[in-house]
PDB file of all heavy atoms in Angstrom:
ATOM      1  N   THR A 150      -7.561   0.575  38.017  1.00 94.00           N
ATOM      2  CA  THR A 150      -6.376  -0.175  37.523  1.00 94.00           C
ATOM      3  C   THR A 150      -5.920  -1.194  38.519  1.00 94.00           C
ATOM      4  O   THR A 150      -4.704  -1.714  38.311  1.00 94.00           O
ATOM      5  CB  THR A 150      -5.278   0.842  37.394  1.00 94.00           C
ATOM      6  OG1 THR A 150      -5.048   1.519  38.679  1.00 94.00           O
ATOM      7  CG2 THR A 150      -5.552   1.882  36.314  1.00 94.00           C
ATOM      8  N   ALA A 151      -6.786  -1.757  39.311  1.00 93.00           N
ATOM      9  CA  ALA A 151      -6.335  -2.843  40.268  1.00 93.00           C
ATOM     10  C   ALA A 151      -6.014  -4.162  39.449  1.00 93.00           C
ATOM     11  O   ALA A 151      -5.055  -4.827  39.830  1.00 93.00           O
ATOM     12  CB  ALA A 151      -7.595  -3.138  41.198  1.00 93.00           C
ATOM     13  N   LYS A 152      -6.694  -4.445  38.376  1.00 94.00           N
ATOM     14  CA  LYS A 152      -6.521  -5.555  37.558  1.00 94.00           C
ATOM     15  C   LYS A 152      -5.057  -5.634  37.004  1.00 94.00           C
ATOM     16  O   LYS A 152      -4.335  -6.563  36.740  1.00 94.00           O
ATOM     17  CB  LYS A 152      -7.544  -5.914  36.659  1.00 94.00           C
ATOM     18  CG  LYS A 152      -7.604  -4.692  35.587  1.00 94.00           C
ATOM     19  CD  LYS A 152      -8.797  -4.998  34.549  1.00 94.00           C
ATOM     20  CE  LYS A 152      -9.011  -3.784  33.615  1.00 94.00           C
ATOM     21  NZ  LYS A 152     -10.088  -4.075  32.560  1.00 94.00           N
ATOM     22  N   TYR A 153      -4.583  -4.332  36.638  1.00 94.00           N
ATOM     23  CA  TYR A 153      -3.375  -4.203  35.955  1.00 94.00           C
ATOM     24  C   TYR A 153      -2.356  -4.328  37.017  1.00 94.00           C
ATOM     25  O   TYR A 153      -1.191  -4.794  36.581  1.00 94.00           O
ATOM     26  CB  TYR A 153      -3.315  -2.870  35.309  1.00 94.00           C
ATOM     27  CG  TYR A 153      -4.193  -2.589  34.071  1.00 94.00           C
ATOM     28  CD1 TYR A 153      -5.339  -1.822  34.203  1.00 94.00           C
ATOM     29  CD2 TYR A 153      -4.047  -3.398  32.925  1.00 94.00           C
ATOM     30  CE1 TYR A 153      -6.188  -1.662  33.108  1.00 94.00           C
ATOM     31  CE2 TYR A 153      -4.943  -3.126  31.818  1.00 94.00           C
ATOM     32  CZ  TYR A 153      -5.989  -2.317  32.009  1.00 94.00           C
ATOM     33  OH  TYR A 153      -6.923  -2.158  30.967  1.00 94.00           O
ATOM     34  N   ARG A 154      -2.467  -3.972  38.137  1.00 93.00           N
ATOM     35  CA  ARG A 154      -1.446  -4.164  39.232  1.00 93.00           C
ATOM     36  C   ARG A 154      -1.272  -5.624  39.527  1.00 93.00           C
ATOM     37  O   ARG A 154      -0.153  -6.151  39.598  1.00 93.00           O
ATOM     38  CB  ARG A 154      -1.816  -3.405  40.485  1.00 93.00           C
ATOM     39  CG  ARG A 154      -1.707  -1.990  40.475  1.00 93.00           C
ATOM     40  CD  ARG A 154      -1.835  -1.293  41.788  1.00 93.00           C
ATOM     41  NE  ARG A 154      -2.999  -1.722  42.506  1.00 93.00           N
ATOM     42  CZ  ARG A 154      -4.164  -0.980  42.354  1.00 93.00           C
ATOM     43  NH1 ARG A 154      -4.276   0.088  41.636  1.00 93.00           N
ATOM     44  NH2 ARG A 154      -5.165  -1.322  43.128  1.00 93.00           N
ATOM     45  N   ILE A 155      -2.423  -6.437  39.536  1.00 93.00           N
ATOM     46  CA  ILE A 155      -2.348  -7.830  39.774  1.00 93.00           C
ATOM     47  C   ILE A 155      -1.636  -8.517  38.613  1.00 93.00           C
ATOM     48  O   ILE A 155      -0.753  -9.362  38.683  1.00 93.00           O
ATOM     49  CB  ILE A 155      -3.800  -8.344  39.859  1.00 93.00           C
ATOM     50  CG1 ILE A 155      -4.410  -7.896  41.184  1.00 93.00           C
ATOM     51  CG2 ILE A 155      -3.759  -9.904  40.043  1.00 93.00           C
ATOM     52  CD1 ILE A 155      -5.939  -8.211  41.480  1.00 93.00           C
ATOM     53  N   PHE A 156      -2.064  -8.168  37.313  1.00 95.00           N
ATOM     54  CA  PHE A 156      -1.460  -8.769  36.245  1.00 95.00           C
ATOM     55  C   PHE A 156       0.127  -8.447  36.126  1.00 95.00           C
ATOM     56  O   PHE A 156       0.943  -9.209  35.770  1.00 95.00           O
ATOM     57  CB  PHE A 156      -2.132  -8.373  34.821  1.00 95.00           C
ATOM     58  CG  PHE A 156      -1.673  -8.998  33.619  1.00 95.00           C
ATOM     59  CD1 PHE A 156      -1.983 -10.274  33.355  1.00 95.00           C
ATOM     60  CD2 PHE A 156      -0.848  -8.327  32.738  1.00 95.00           C
ATOM     61  CE1 PHE A 156      -1.520 -10.916  32.214  1.00 95.00           C
ATOM     62  CE2 PHE A 156      -0.387  -8.969  31.639  1.00 95.00           C
ATOM     63  CZ  PHE A 156      -0.730 -10.348  31.308  1.00 95.00           C
ATOM     64  N   GLY A 157       0.317  -7.187  36.468  1.00 94.00           N
ATOM     65  CA  GLY A 157       1.881  -6.730  36.499  1.00 94.00           C
ATOM     66  C   GLY A 157       2.634  -7.569  37.442  1.00 94.00           C
ATOM     67  O   GLY A 157       3.767  -7.970  37.210  1.00 94.00           O
ATOM     68  N   PHE A 158       2.131  -7.911  38.528  1.00 93.00           N
ATOM     69  CA  PHE A 158       2.758  -8.617  39.591  1.00 93.00           C
ATOM     70  C   PHE A 158       2.996 -10.098  39.110  1.00 93.00           C
ATOM     71  O   PHE A 158       4.063 -10.598  39.331  1.00 93.00           O
ATOM     72  CB  PHE A 158       1.950  -8.746  40.895  1.00 93.00           C
ATOM     73  CG  PHE A 158       2.700  -9.528  41.951  1.00 93.00           C
ATOM     74  CD1 PHE A 158       3.626  -9.160  42.711  1.00 93.00           C
ATOM     75  CD2 PHE A 158       2.006 -10.774  42.352  1.00 93.00           C
ATOM     76  CE1 PHE A 158       4.299  -9.888  43.723  1.00 93.00           C
ATOM     77  CE2 PHE A 158       2.630 -11.553  43.261  1.00 93.00           C
ATOM     78  CZ  PHE A 158       3.869 -11.021  44.106  1.00 93.00           C
ATOM     79  N   HIS A 159       1.988 -10.761  38.516  1.00 94.00           N
ATOM     80  CA  HIS A 159       2.087 -11.987  37.950  1.00 94.00           C
ATOM     81  C   HIS A 159       3.138 -12.014  36.796  1.00 94.00           C
ATOM     82  O   HIS A 159       4.044 -12.919  36.632  1.00 94.00           O
ATOM     83  CB  HIS A 159       0.832 -12.473  37.432  1.00 94.00           C
ATOM     84  CG  HIS A 159      -0.063 -12.822  38.474  1.00 94.00           C
ATOM     85  ND1 HIS A 159      -1.602 -12.984  38.236  1.00 94.00           N
ATOM     86  CD2 HIS A 159      -0.014 -13.062  39.834  1.00 94.00           C
ATOM     87  CE1 HIS A 159      -2.165 -13.227  39.292  1.00 94.00           C
ATOM     88  NE2 HIS A 159      -1.187 -13.210  40.364  1.00 94.00           N
ATOM     89  N   SER A 160       3.131 -10.863  35.965  1.00 95.00           N
ATOM     90  CA  SER A 160       4.253 -10.760  34.949  1.00 95.00           C
ATOM     91  C   SER A 160       5.575 -10.607  35.517  1.00 95.00           C
ATOM     92  O   SER A 160       6.655 -11.119  34.997  1.00 95.00           O
ATOM     93  CB  SER A 160       3.844  -9.591  34.040  1.00 95.00           C
ATOM     94  OG  SER A 160       4.755  -9.447  33.091  1.00 95.00           O
ATOM     95  N   PHE A 161       5.764  -9.871  36.757  1.00 95.00           N
ATOM     96  CA  PHE A 161       6.934  -9.754  37.406  1.00 95.00           C
ATOM     97  C   PHE A 161       7.520 -11.300  37.856  1.00 95.00           C
ATOM     98  O   PHE A 161       8.739 -11.548  37.702  1.00 95.00           O
ATOM     99  CB  PHE A 161       6.847  -8.981  38.530  1.00 95.00           C
ATOM    100  CG  PHE A 161       8.007  -8.985  39.549  1.00 95.00           C
ATOM    101  CD1 PHE A 161       9.127  -8.230  39.276  1.00 95.00           C
ATOM    102  CD2 PHE A 161       7.841  -9.587  40.729  1.00 95.00           C
ATOM    103  CE1 PHE A 161      10.182  -8.233  40.165  1.00 95.00           C
ATOM    104  CE2 PHE A 161       8.897  -9.655  41.675  1.00 95.00           C
ATOM    105  CZ  PHE A 161      10.054  -8.977  41.402  1.00 95.00           C
ATOM    106  N   LEU A 162       6.634 -11.994  38.303  1.00 93.00           N
ATOM    107  CA  LEU A 162       7.086 -13.384  38.871  1.00 93.00           C
ATOM    108  C   LEU A 162       7.497 -14.237  37.581  1.00 93.00           C
ATOM    109  O   LEU A 162       8.396 -15.038  37.652  1.00 93.00           O
ATOM    110  CB  LEU A 162       5.866 -14.089  39.571  1.00 93.00           C
ATOM    111  CG  LEU A 162       5.432 -13.458  40.820  1.00 93.00           C
ATOM    112  CD1 LEU A 162       4.346 -14.250  41.544  1.00 93.00           C
ATOM    113  CD2 LEU A 162       6.675 -13.393  41.881  1.00 93.00           C
ATOM    114  N   VAL A 163       6.709 -14.089  36.554  1.00 95.00           N
ATOM    115  CA  VAL A 163       7.073 -14.830  35.333  1.00 95.00           C
ATOM    116  C   VAL A 163       8.394 -14.430  34.771  1.00 95.00           C
ATOM    117  O   VAL A 163       9.335 -15.286  34.396  1.00 95.00           O
ATOM    118  CB  VAL A 163       5.999 -14.570  34.121  1.00 95.00           C
ATOM    119  CG1 VAL A 163       6.606 -15.109  32.729  1.00 95.00           C
ATOM    120  CG2 VAL A 163       4.675 -15.224  34.509  1.00 95.00           C
ATOM    121  N   SER A 164       8.738 -13.047  34.717  1.00 95.00           N
ATOM    122  CA  SER A 164      10.091 -12.612  34.376  1.00 95.00           C
ATOM    123  C   SER A 164      11.126 -13.215  35.305  1.00 95.00           C
ATOM    124  O   SER A 164      12.233 -13.625  34.783  1.00 95.00           O
ATOM    125  CB  SER A 164      10.057 -11.004  34.378  1.00 95.00           C
ATOM    126  OG  SER A 164      11.404 -10.609  33.998  1.00 95.00           O
ATOM    127  N   LEU A 165      10.885 -13.072  36.541  1.00 94.00           N
ATOM    128  CA  LEU A 165      11.898 -13.687  37.536  1.00 94.00           C
ATOM    129  C   LEU A 165      12.277 -15.269  37.338  1.00 94.00           C
ATOM    130  O   LEU A 165      13.443 -15.667  37.163  1.00 94.00           O
ATOM    131  CB  LEU A 165      11.475 -13.415  38.961  1.00 94.00           C
ATOM    132  CG  LEU A 165      12.336 -14.035  40.104  1.00 94.00           C
ATOM    133  CD1 LEU A 165      13.790 -13.233  39.999  1.00 94.00           C
ATOM    134  CD2 LEU A 165      11.701 -13.685  41.465  1.00 94.00           C
ATOM    135  N   VAL A 166      11.056 -16.046  37.214  1.00 94.00           N
ATOM    136  CA  VAL A 166      11.369 -17.388  37.033  1.00 94.00           C
ATOM    137  C   VAL A 166      11.906 -17.797  35.773  1.00 94.00           C
ATOM    138  O   VAL A 166      12.756 -18.645  35.641  1.00 94.00           O
ATOM    139  CB  VAL A 166      10.020 -18.130  37.273  1.00 94.00           C
ATOM    140  CG1 VAL A 166      10.079 -19.683  36.912  1.00 94.00           C
ATOM    141  CG2 VAL A 166       9.401 -17.899  38.524  1.00 94.00           C
ATOM    142  N   SER A 167      11.521 -17.040  34.757  1.00 96.00           N
ATOM    143  CA  SER A 167      12.020 -17.426  33.335  1.00 96.00           C
ATOM    144  C   SER A 167      13.586 -16.908  33.308  1.00 96.00           C
ATOM    145  O   SER A 167      14.385 -17.754  32.619  1.00 96.00           O
ATOM    146  CB  SER A 167      11.372 -16.421  32.332  1.00 96.00           C
ATOM    147  OG  SER A 167      10.106 -16.678  32.254  1.00 96.00           O
ATOM    148  N   PHE A 168      14.096 -15.978  34.015  1.00 96.00           N
ATOM    149  CA  PHE A 168      15.479 -15.704  34.163  1.00 96.00           C
ATOM    150  C   PHE A 168      16.192 -16.711  34.806  1.00 96.00           C
ATOM    151  O   PHE A 168      17.273 -17.064  34.316  1.00 96.00           O
ATOM    152  CB  PHE A 168      15.637 -14.274  34.866  1.00 96.00           C
ATOM    153  CG  PHE A 168      16.998 -13.916  35.074  1.00 96.00           C
ATOM    154  CD1 PHE A 168      17.826 -13.574  34.110  1.00 96.00           C
ATOM    155  CD2 PHE A 168      17.574 -14.196  36.374  1.00 96.00           C
ATOM    156  CE1 PHE A 168      19.229 -13.275  34.366  1.00 96.00           C
ATOM    157  CE2 PHE A 168      18.971 -13.819  36.661  1.00 96.00           C
ATOM    158  CZ  PHE A 168      19.761 -13.419  35.617  1.00 96.00           C
ATOM    159  N   VAL A 169      15.659 -17.307  35.895  1.00 94.00           N
ATOM    160  CA  VAL A 169      16.377 -18.328  36.512  1.00 94.00           C
ATOM    161  C   VAL A 169      16.479 -19.595  35.609  1.00 94.00           C
ATOM    162  O   VAL A 169      17.574 -20.227  35.620  1.00 94.00           O
ATOM    163  CB  VAL A 169      15.651 -18.675  37.917  1.00 94.00           C
ATOM    164  CG1 VAL A 169      16.263 -19.777  38.607  1.00 94.00           C
ATOM    165  CG2 VAL A 169      15.608 -17.544  38.874  1.00 94.00           C
ATOM    166  N   ILE A 170      15.437 -19.956  34.967  1.00 94.00           N
ATOM    167  CA  ILE A 170      15.531 -21.095  33.976  1.00 94.00           C
ATOM    168  C   ILE A 170      16.429 -20.816  32.983  1.00 94.00           C
ATOM    169  O   ILE A 170      17.342 -21.742  32.574  1.00 94.00           O
ATOM    170  CB  ILE A 170      14.161 -21.342  33.559  1.00 94.00           C
ATOM    171  CG1 ILE A 170      13.127 -21.924  34.708  1.00 94.00           C
ATOM    172  CG2 ILE A 170      14.138 -22.512  32.586  1.00 94.00           C
ATOM    173  CD1 ILE A 170      11.723 -22.026  34.281  1.00 94.00           C
ATOM    174  N   SER A 171      16.402 -19.557  32.471  1.00 94.00           N
ATOM    175  CA  SER A 171      17.480 -19.344  31.334  1.00 94.00           C
ATOM    176  C   SER A 171      18.871 -19.396  31.897  1.00 94.00           C
ATOM    177  O   SER A 171      19.785 -19.909  31.100  1.00 94.00           O
ATOM    178  CB  SER A 171      17.177 -17.921  30.814  1.00 94.00           C
ATOM    179  OG  SER A 171      15.898 -17.775  30.260  1.00 94.00           O
ATOM    180  N   PHE A 172      19.094 -19.008  32.994  1.00 93.00           N
ATOM    181  CA  PHE A 172      20.395 -19.092  33.585  1.00 93.00           C
ATOM    182  C   PHE A 172      20.867 -20.573  33.691  1.00 93.00           C
ATOM    183  O   PHE A 172      22.099 -20.928  33.306  1.00 93.00           O
ATOM    184  CB  PHE A 172      20.521 -18.314  34.925  1.00 93.00           C
ATOM    185  CG  PHE A 172      21.772 -18.509  35.672  1.00 93.00           C
ATOM    186  CD1 PHE A 172      23.001 -17.866  35.209  1.00 93.00           C
ATOM    187  CD2 PHE A 172      21.833 -19.525  36.667  1.00 93.00           C
ATOM    188  CE1 PHE A 172      24.162 -18.080  35.928  1.00 93.00           C
ATOM    189  CE2 PHE A 172      23.146 -19.625  37.370  1.00 93.00           C
ATOM    190  CZ  PHE A 172      24.263 -19.004  36.981  1.00 93.00           C
ATOM    191  N   LEU A 173      20.027 -21.440  34.230  1.00 92.00           N
ATOM    192  CA  LEU A 173      20.334 -22.770  34.420  1.00 92.00           C
ATOM    193  C   LEU A 173      20.511 -23.455  33.016  1.00 92.00           C
ATOM    194  O   LEU A 173      21.491 -24.368  32.903  1.00 92.00           O
ATOM    195  CB  LEU A 173      19.232 -23.494  35.263  1.00 92.00           C
ATOM    196  CG  LEU A 173      19.001 -23.109  36.668  1.00 92.00           C
ATOM    197  CD1 LEU A 173      17.803 -23.753  37.191  1.00 92.00           C
ATOM    198  CD2 LEU A 173      20.283 -23.358  37.423  1.00 92.00           C
ATOM    199  N   LEU A 174      19.814 -23.030  32.073  1.00 92.00           N
ATOM    200  CA  LEU A 174      20.023 -23.672  30.724  1.00 92.00           C
ATOM    201  C   LEU A 174      21.381 -23.224  30.213  1.00 92.00           C
ATOM    202  O   LEU A 174      22.102 -24.077  29.467  1.00 92.00           O
ATOM    203  CB  LEU A 174      18.843 -23.280  29.737  1.00 92.00           C
ATOM    204  CG  LEU A 174      17.529 -23.904  30.082  1.00 92.00           C
ATOM    205  CD1 LEU A 174      16.465 -23.311  29.235  1.00 92.00           C
ATOM    206  CD2 LEU A 174      17.676 -25.386  29.905  1.00 92.00           C
ATOM    207  N   SER A 175      21.699 -22.070  30.391  1.00 90.00           N
ATOM    208  CA  SER A 175      23.035 -21.546  29.829  1.00 90.00           C
ATOM    209  C   SER A 175      24.156 -22.128  30.639  1.00 90.00           C
ATOM    210  O   SER A 175      25.303 -22.273  30.132  1.00 90.00           O
ATOM    211  CB  SER A 175      23.146 -20.032  29.839  1.00 90.00           C
ATOM    212  OG  SER A 175      22.994 -19.502  31.136  1.00 90.00           O
ATOM    213  N   TYR A 176      23.938 -22.330  31.878  1.00 89.00           N
ATOM    214  CA  TYR A 176      25.000 -22.980  32.786  1.00 89.00           C
ATOM    215  C   TYR A 176      25.352 -24.345  32.340  1.00 89.00           C
ATOM    216  O   TYR A 176      26.437 -24.862  32.632  1.00 89.00           O
ATOM    217  CB  TYR A 176      24.473 -22.948  34.138  1.00 89.00           C
ATOM    218  CG  TYR A 176      25.517 -23.190  35.198  1.00 89.00           C
ATOM    219  CD1 TYR A 176      26.593 -22.294  35.331  1.00 89.00           C
ATOM    220  CD2 TYR A 176      25.593 -24.237  36.031  1.00 89.00           C
ATOM    221  CE1 TYR A 176      27.605 -22.455  36.236  1.00 89.00           C
ATOM    222  CE2 TYR A 176      26.501 -24.409  37.033  1.00 89.00           C
ATOM    223  CZ  TYR A 176      27.571 -23.553  37.073  1.00 89.00           C
ATOM    224  OH  TYR A 176      28.483 -23.799  38.035  1.00 89.00           O
ATOM    225  N   THR A 177      24.427 -25.106  31.597  1.00 86.00           N
ATOM    226  CA  THR A 177      24.739 -26.427  31.100  1.00 86.00           C
ATOM    227  C   THR A 177      26.019 -26.385  30.041  1.00 86.00           C
ATOM    228  O   THR A 177      26.730 -27.321  30.049  1.00 86.00           O
ATOM    229  CB  THR A 177      23.613 -27.133  30.518  1.00 86.00           C
ATOM    230  OG1 THR A 177      23.044 -26.252  29.404  1.00 86.00           O
ATOM    231  CG2 THR A 177      22.446 -27.201  31.392  1.00 86.00           C
ATOM    232  N   GLU A 178      26.050 -25.276  29.466  1.00 82.00           N
ATOM    233  CA  GLU A 178      27.100 -25.008  28.460  1.00 82.00           C
ATOM    234  C   GLU A 178      28.524 -24.790  29.090  1.00 82.00           C
ATOM    235  O   GLU A 178      29.527 -25.237  28.686  1.00 82.00           O
ATOM    236  CB  GLU A 178      26.779 -24.028  27.421  1.00 82.00           C
ATOM    237  CG  GLU A 178      27.720 -23.866  26.287  1.00 82.00           C
ATOM    238  CD  GLU A 178      27.735 -25.032  25.196  1.00 82.00           C
ATOM    239  OE1 GLU A 178      26.717 -25.781  25.328  1.00 82.00           O
ATOM    240  OE2 GLU A 178      28.759 -25.270  24.488  1.00 82.00           O
TER     241      GLU A 178
END
Side-chain angles (χ1 to χ4, degrees):
T150 56
K152 59 181 179 181
Y153 296 109
R154 292 196 301 272
I155 296 174
F156 186 75
F158 177 73
H159 291 163
S160 180
F161 168 75
L162 294 179
V163 170
S164 178
L165 178 61
V166 174
S167 299
F168 172 74
V169 173
I170 295 176
S171 301
F172 172 77
L173 293 176
L174 291 173
S175 65
Y176 195 60
T177 58
E178 186 70 19

